[in-house]
Amino acid sequence: MNTNTLSVFALGGLNEIGKNMYVIQYGDDIVIVDCGSKFPDESSLGVDLIIQDIAYLKENREKIRGLLVTHGHEDHIGGIPYFLKQINVPVYATRLTLGLIKIKLKEHGLLRNTDLQLINGDSSLNFGTMDVTFFKTNHSIPDCLGIVFHTPEGIVVHTGDFKFDFTPINDDYADINKMAEIGSKGVLLLLSESTNAERPGFNPSERIIGKKIEEEFRKARKKIFISTFASNVHRVQQVVDAAYKTNRKLVLLGRSMVNVVSVAEELGYLHIPEGMIIEKQDINQFDPEEVAILCTGSQGEAMAALSRLSTSNFRQVEIHPDDTVIFASSPIPGNEKNVTQVIDNLLHLGANVIYGSGTGLHVSGHACQEELKLMLTLMKPKYFMPIHGEFRMLHKHRSLAESVGIELDNIFIMNNGDVIEITGGEARQTKSVHSGHIFVDGLGIGDVGNVVLRDRKLLSEEGIVIIVVTINRKNGELVSNPDIISRGFVYRRDAEELMQEVNELVIKKVAELQGVNRNQQGIVRQTLKKATEQLLYVETKRRPMILPVVIEV
Amino acid sequence: MNTNTLSVFALGGLNEIGKNMYVIQYGDDIVIVDCGSKFPDESSLGVDLIIQDIAYLKENREKIRGLLVTHGHEDHIGGIPYFLKQINVPVYATRLTLGLIKIKLKEHGLLRNTDLQLINGDSSLNFGTMDVTFFKTNHSIPDCLGIVFHTPEGIVVHTGDFKFDFTPINDDYADINKMAEIGSKGVLLLLSESTNAERPGFNPSERIIGKKIEEEFRKARKKIFISTFASNVHRVQQVVDAAYKTNRKLVLLGRSMVNVVSVAEELGYLHIPEGMIIEKQDINQFDPEEVAILCTGSQGEAMAALSRLSTSNFRQVEIHPDDTVIFASSPIPGNEKNVTQVIDNLLHLGANVIYGSGTGLHVSGHACQEELKLMLTLMKPKYFMPIHGEFRMLHKHRSLAESVGIELDNIFIMNNGDVIEITGGEARQTKSVHSGHIFVDGLGIGDVGNVVLRDRKLLSEEGIVIIVVTINRKNGELVSNPDIISRGFVYRRDAEELMQEVNELVIKKVAELQGVNRNQQGIVRQTLKKATEQLLYVETKRRPMILPVVIEV
């Protein structure tokens, strides 16, 4: 990057939901915003997690001044352990966010060697040529920050994830006046999140959820199970309050629920009356109407508490007929099938299940269209770059910006790696730096790539047929009957006949090949592969992966 | 089944969406309603289609009097060719439904040997002990019927799929008065569809879509692409009308669109002004504002016209900047990701894309809660069996029925195969007949089962490692170096090292096994499998399928 140039780009978060990472660079000073992970979808078969390719940062590691983290959600902190193993820089975050980061670092054995710096909405930092200040925002987790970069070129604002809630739980107000002040000073470039850019209107306050939860708690006659995101501490607070008001003890189920609640309580973000939490093994000491169970699994995750409860697969806790199960959540796109399966299972158990968009038991944490316009109006940026969203969300966010007066030519819809350079107050989209995704699979980071995924996809749809032939090195004759083995292909009595046909074909082909140069094993393999492929396609209209193994003895 | 007993059960359609098939039997007379297929979800890897297990019907084939088809959607007709290949009985359906069935029978070479019987809302049939009459309903395809079985025990009504539309396109009115008359006579048992039982309210009329389509057509300045289900003939009619009013020629893209439109027009369900349809190769003879393209692919199906257009992969037709693309449809649950990917691609091409629930460009074809209550109220059945839906939909439909006065004890939520028997006017859920699903995969019907799917799932998530060892039959020594081959597992330079480790382990294990009885190949395979599994799990935390092949020479 040029010395007197301000460069802004993303290494993750554009044209996708997840793995957020944004880079602000002025000359030799690089500051990174967020380091999230992304959950794989069905096209990334078997992959556990997706993180950013940080090749650019590794090449410029001596310029990196720090990693600023806007809040504690996985898509903003999930990549931190993998990042720090490669680039060890100070991490700046608020108290709750740091608490959640620490859980991760502990799991990866990184806690001792990381420089963690506590900040809050009033902090002011200096990173060489840049000063950085912050403003508090509302979201679906407490202690969120927007970031203000005071650069020699002007002010760059990064909103983080946000919404506006004028009546937040625990008086956790956003700094709207501060946002307006920043806007009045003049913002050169705004980066604002786009997750809900397609959704009209303005989010209702989180506070209305509390009333609905309390209503459902008052109606319930037996045990109550309620599920939400563990990190939505404000909602958890409202569950605690509803349980307290209706004289129910509270049980926490699921590892992340127990972890997050204990961190949030310890740090003062969550207030739980003493003696209210009981252990799951003590549930039976109370009448059903004296107990509420707050659990993970609102997204239908197979291993989470609620899924296991729904299939009567949870030790020491059972859902009985007329128990109430409340989903204080919406399915994230892609999770609908898992969630509805859990609901079906719960109904089969005879539970009274409260779910669906009509219940008023969920509000989004992301700004809807009117809130996005409010942010744009407060900041009045010269240049605008919609971030964090799939293409159509960025696209819609551009229309919203245009509608409140931002010039269309000053709005940059970019790809990960695309760089905006600003010099002399003028912004241009110039080059691209290397970007990409890295798969985390088991212990491996980056060892599963597109070839492996392509193979997995083929295997998953068509299966595999393995042909093993043992050939006499000297004369090219078969030493024994070929072995034909299939997995994931067909399975029935007819399959034997089919495999017998393949067997005969292989014997015939090997005989035909006796003349060819025996050093060219490749030709033998190719011939067997092709012939088998053809036979199987004609017979079954399927194309399994065919793997010929030729052994010479 | 007993001679003087009325038996009612489903062989498909309960606790699922798709593969509808219901059976009404009195003594030795069996009448079947619908024979649909179901599209596989991601758990049925690589399977093309799912149909019913009709073992019960095959055992009782001489009792089957006919197959009645309520309407022409895939989940009601998609299984017919596979069914008729096993059980050849007369098929009764309305004109459009027969037209669509014929397309299928032709593809399967069954057209000549099938006894197709044309019926309509006024038809009256006799099947031994049962008389059957019909009533017209509204749905998202024309020519739909509900069915009335006049049995010695009383009247059984099957609604088929339906909604109420008081201002239908083409004056295609439902027989509401007839429904009321049937109800007044006294209905013993009602089978009513449950797809939208979770959705409150009453569907708006299909007619409002036409106005919205016309509005969008008037706004568009360049080419218009509009996508909807080919079978929604009324919506297609409204597209035709909008194109006509705005002076645009119409192009049809996609095999099912061309097929269905030609059948519907030929049979008089669709009225297209002469000269209005042009061929795709003639598009460029017109200005962009003189052309509208009606295409398949509203569900983001990879091979359908719109997906291919969105990736500039369609011969002779291109989407240009400022062309308008209209989704006159909603994504079916499970298709959201594919649809949004197509939208993203279209926006990348610079198209103006009209999509989403706020556009008013889609209404459902299935009765919402108030419509379901209206049907229940018109029919006033003594017994009620909610059909066609996942468990929570059947469950919700039960609550709706209860709310309009049906006794809870008289409502039967059943599984496929569960039988209601009615004698002396009293219904009881008694036994179960065999039911299940059959996978159609390529040319194979039923040759892909759970073992194959389990293998495909494992292969898709973890890949496969194949170990080939060649052993001297006499002394159990390795004849050559083992072959270690992996697919879908890891792929990188480290992988070589890992495979080398496996290699060494295999050599060691074979040496250890030299003492065991060489006839017990199974022990060699098991030992190699276990040892390799362990090594790979420790090194990678993954569990690929391990396939040892032992060859003795």
Side-chain angles (χ1 to χ4, degrees), chain B residues 292-433:
Chain B
I293 293 108
L294 175 59
C295 59
T296 55
S298 65
Q299 295 301 313
E301 308 94 318
M303 297 312 297
L306 193 59
S307 297
R308 285 156 58 206
L309 286 163
S310 80
T311 52
S312 303
N313 234 331
F314 201 96
R315 287 219 305 157
Q316 301 178 308
V317 187
E318 275 182 1
I319 297 183
H320 294 134
D322 299 324
D323 281 350
T324 298
V325 182
I326 303 171
F327 283 81
S329 59
S330 268
I332 293 173
N335 293 347
E336 293 88 351
K337 289 222 165 189
N338 290 339
V339 173
T340 55
Q341 184 58 59
V342 171
I343 295 169
D344 280 354
N345 293 343
L346 292 166
L347 289 169
H348 271 292
L349 293 177
N352 174 29
V353 187
I354 318 289
Y355 68 95
S357 55
T359 59
L361 284 160
H362 179 70
V363 294
S364 170
H366 297 279
C368 294
Q369 292 179 351
E370 298 309 310
E371 293 160 276
L372 293 172
K373 288 189 211 163
L374 175 53
M375 180 62 84
L376 286 157
T377 302
L378 287 167
M379 292 295 172
K380 294 194 201 319
K382 177 174 179 189
Y383 295 106
F384 173 52
M385 172 178 167
I387 58 169
H388 199 198
E390 296 178 12
F391 185 71
R392 64 198 179 287
M393 303 167 189
L394 307 178
H395 193 269
K396 186 55 106 175
H397 205 172
R398 174 167 66 183
S399 313
L400 298 175
E402 200 191 353
S403 78
V404 298
I406 315 249
E407 272 182 52
L408 203 52
D409 289 345
N410 287 356
I411 304 174
F412 294 89
I413 294 194
M414 319 240 289
N415 295 310
N416 290 328
D418 289 352
V419 179
I420 297 182
E421 290 192 318
I422 308 183
T423 37
E426 293 299 316
R428 283 174 314 131
Q429 188 183 323
T430 54
K431 60 197 167 186
S432 290
V433 303

Side-chain angles (χ1 to χ4, degrees), chain A residues 5-65:
Chain A
T5 302
L6 173 64
S7 302
V8 178
F9 56 94
L11 290 177
L14 299 186
N15 297 309
E16 63 184 340
I17 294 289
K19 78 175 176 58
N20 283 284
M21 177 177 275
Y22 305 92
V23 178
I24 317 289
Q25 177 166 10
Y26 189 86
D28 282 345
D29 298 314
I30 292 177
V31 180
I32 302 164
V33 179
D34 289 341
C35 180
S37 58
K38 177 174 165 178
F39 293 109
D41 63 16
E42 59 273 21
S43 68
S44 308
L45 293 161
V47 169
D48 298 321
L49 211 60
I50 302 174
I51 54 176
Q52 309 83 2
D53 187 332
I54 54 170
Y56 175 83
L57 297 175
K58 284 197 279 189
E59 280 161 29
N60 293 277
R61 65 172 76 224
E62 77 291 347
K63 298 179 186 164
I64 303 172
R65 307 294 166 235

Side-chain angles (χ1 to χ4, degrees), chain B residues 8-19:
Chain B
V8 178
F9 55 94
L11 290 176
L14 299 186
N15 297 309
E16 64 184 341
I17 295 288
K19 77 175 176 58

Side-chain angles (χ1 to χ4, degrees), chain A residues 198 355 441 447 456 488 542, chain B residues 198 355 441 447 456 488 542:
Chain A
E198 297 179 291
Y355 68 96
D441 187 347
D447 62 348
R456 286 185 185 175
R542 296 178 212 169
Chain B
E198 296 178 291
Y355 68 95
D441 187 346
D447 61 349
R456 286 184 184 175
R542 296 178 210 168

Side-chain angles (χ1 to χ4, degrees), chain B residues 264-308:
Chain B
E265 198 190 4
E266 195 186 309
L267 299 177
Y269 292 91
L270 190 58
H271 311 288
I272 306 180
E274 226 181 294
M276 199 177 152
I277 301 281
I278 62 168
E279 295 299 318
K280 60 174 182 284
Q281 57 271 27
D282 299 330
I283 287 182
N284 294 330
Q285 297 177 19
F286 297 85
D287 287 335
E289 66 270 25
E290 296 175 336
V291 179
I293 293 108
L294 175 59
C295 59
T296 55
S298 65
Q299 295 301 313
E301 308 94 318
M303 297 312 297
L306 193 59
S307 297
R308 285 156 58 206

Side-chain angles (χ1 to χ4, degrees), chain A residues 247-274:
Chain A
N247 298 311
R248 287 177 185 260
K249 298 286 181 190
L250 197 63
V251 181
L252 304 175
L253 291 189
R255 197 167 65 105
S256 70
M257 190 60 79
V258 172
N259 277 345
V260 176
V261 166
S262 82
V263 168
E265 198 191 4
E266 196 186 309
L267 299 178
Y269 291 90
L270 191 59
H271 310 288
I272 306 180
E274 227 181 292

